[in-house]
Amino acid sequence: MARATLIDDNSDVDEVEEVPLSQQPEWADVTPLEQQDGGYPLCPIAYTDSYKELMGYMRAVMAAGEISKRAYSLTSQVIEENPAHYTVWVYRKRLVTELSLDIEAELNWLSDIAAMHPKNYQPWHHRQVLVAMLLEPQQLDETHPVIRRELSFLANAIDEDSKNFHAWSYRQWLVQRYDLWTQEESFVDAMINQDVRNNSAWNQRYFVLVRSNRDSKVDEQKVRDEIEYSLEMIKRAPNNESPWSYIVGMLLRHAPEMLHAELLPRIQRMTEEGETAQAMQASSFYWSALVDIYETQAMLQENVREEMITLARETCAVLASDHDPTRMKYWEFRGSTLKI
């Protein structure tokens, strides 16, 4: 261990100080390797003395290709000081594999690291590697204890920060690898109901919609269901970009003809009636959706192209002057790109 406990006879509190590796018999046979920055480094990094020493020994054992418990322990110390050191993470994975170490124990240690550094990519990737080593995807579902633990771990991480990219990315990998699509639909619904503005949850909804079908196709009834769902969420907060981006983007890719035929009359009616009519009329995202709808219809139907392009240009002008003046230059440019 790199630490020793020293007891002060005049105090009831134990004092803990670091014992340098150079003073530990376990490391007496290792000569540290210094970092090579050249003779005149322009901007040397101000490492702490303890980190310099740890990395000196780390370089030495890595250069020797040492596979040992002490090397494994050393990676823990380095990662605790610098959790973004991806080379050490790669070496640690090799040690776990070649020493046949307990993967469950490694995951428990990793959970503590991830809790302290939730926005660091390396712990999340290491977790993915470990779970892949632990479980093959065949015949597994959300009732498997490892899957239950991972989903619980992810739920806690996302509850702590609902827009943690690394947590969502790892969740996508887990769901896809172990075919957890059914439970994921319920999870995403719950997340959006909890916070309709959570764009990460909306992104996950699209991921489930498309990737749960092996051919990535979305049938017509599912498209209609998503229109209904999105409009309900828009009613809750008409000036929330997430459901607008979701439904317009989904239709552009999977059913562009339904933008004009299905979505347009629905959102226009929402500006004329109901409790949210006034908020809908003032929403820049409503007007932005109109531009996409008119432009798409112009491409789909040549006989109405001139009419649709004219409407799209007029809508860009309204956005620039009334509903989104902060991006006036963008809307002026967007309008200028619309050609009859």
Side-chain angles (χ1 to χ4, degrees), residues 55-218:
M55 282 307 303
Y57 282 88
M58 191 80 258
R59 292 187 199 95
V61 297
M62 290 177 69
E66 179 177 320
I67 305 299
S68 66
K69 289 289 185 67
R70 72 175 181 178
Y72 174 71
S73 177
L74 183 57
T75 63
S76 297
Q77 296 174 60
V78 172
I79 287 169
E80 286 171 6
E81 293 221 14
N82 181 8
H85 202 312
Y86 57 86
T87 304
V88 175
W89 281 104
V90 172
Y91 187 53
R92 185 179 180 91
K93 185 261 182 181
R94 180 185 172 193
L95 291 168
V96 169
T97 302
E98 297 192 24
L99 291 171
S100 300
L101 297 178
D102 184 352
I103 294 178
E104 293 284 359
E106 179 75 354
L107 283 167
N108 290 335
W109 170 84
L110 192 58
S111 293
D112 292 335
I113 297 295
M116 291 186 290
H117 308 282
K119 292 298 184 72
N120 185 351
Y121 168 74
Q122 276 71 36
W124 290 101
H125 177 70
H126 191 63
R127 191 175 198 97
Q128 178 177 319
V129 169
L130 293 174
V131 171
M133 291 167 58
L134 194 62
L135 289 178
E136 291 296 327
Q138 292 82 6
Q139 298 180 329
L140 287 178
D141 58 31
E142 62 267 25
T143 63
H144 191 283
V146 172
I147 297 298
R148 285 206 310 272
R149 182 200 54 214
E150 291 305 292
L151 290 175
S152 176
F153 171 79
L154 278 165
N156 289 334
I158 291 172
D159 185 60
E160 187 72 23
D161 181 355
S162 64
K163 299 182 181 180
N164 184 334
F165 170 81
H166 301 303
W168 284 106
S169 180
Y170 174 61
R171 189 176 186 97
Q172 288 189 356
W173 173 83
L174 191 76
V175 168
Q176 191 161 20
R177 179 176 174 83
Y178 298 110
D179 199 24
L180 307 175
W181 301 109
T182 301
Q183 67 82 36
E184 194 63 9
E185 290 181 11
S186 301
F187 177 79
V188 170
D189 281 346
M191 292 300 298
I192 293 175
N193 279 322
Q194 179 180 315
D195 178 10
V196 73
R197 292 175 173 82
N198 187 345
N199 55 293
S200 296
W202 282 99
N203 180 72
Q204 187 77 353
R205 186 177 186 88
Y206 184 74
F207 169 78
V208 173
L209 177 73
V210 176
R211 295 297 181 87
S212 59
N213 299 305
R214 299 195 181 279
D215 57 5
S216 296
K217 292 182 179 179
V218 184

Side-chain angles (χ1 to χ4, degrees), residues 208-320:
V208 173
L209 177 73
V210 176
R211 295 297 181 87
S212 59
N213 299 305
R214 299 195 181 279
D215 57 5
S216 296
K217 292 182 179 179
V218 184
D219 64 53
E220 183 176 334
Q221 184 55 52
K222 186 61 176 174
V223 170
R224 294 182 186 279
D225 291 343
E226 291 305 294
I227 292 174
E228 292 295 333
Y229 180 86
S230 300
L231 292 178
E232 285 302 313
M233 295 302 112
I234 287 171
K235 287 178 183 178
R236 292 191 187 184
N239 207 36
N240 169 28
E241 185 175 8
S242 294
W244 287 105
S245 296
Y246 174 80
I247 194 59
V248 172
M250 190 271 287
L251 291 175
L252 280 171
R253 181 167 183 179
H254 298 283
E257 71 286 350
M258 295 179 72
L259 278 165
H260 191 271
E262 300 284 342
L263 185 62
L264 179 61
R266 298 289 301 279
I267 61 176
Q268 287 178 328
R269 191 157 55 249
M270 288 168 64
T271 66
E272 300 167 355
E273 57 188 44
E275 296 179 358
T276 59
Q278 187 173 355
M280 283 285 294
Q281 293 168 16
S283 172
S284 64
F285 305 117
Y286 162 72
W287 294 93
S288 176
L290 292 182
V291 176
D292 290 324
I293 292 170
Y294 295 144
E295 184 179 15
T296 302
Q297 192 65 11
M299 292 186 290
L300 292 176
Q301 284 191 276
E302 189 62 33
N303 62 319
V304 296
R305 180 177 178 82
E306 183 174 352
E307 177 190 356
M308 292 296 112
I309 292 297
T310 300
L311 286 170
R313 286 175 177 172
E314 291 173 353
T315 307
C316 285
V318 171
L319 278 157

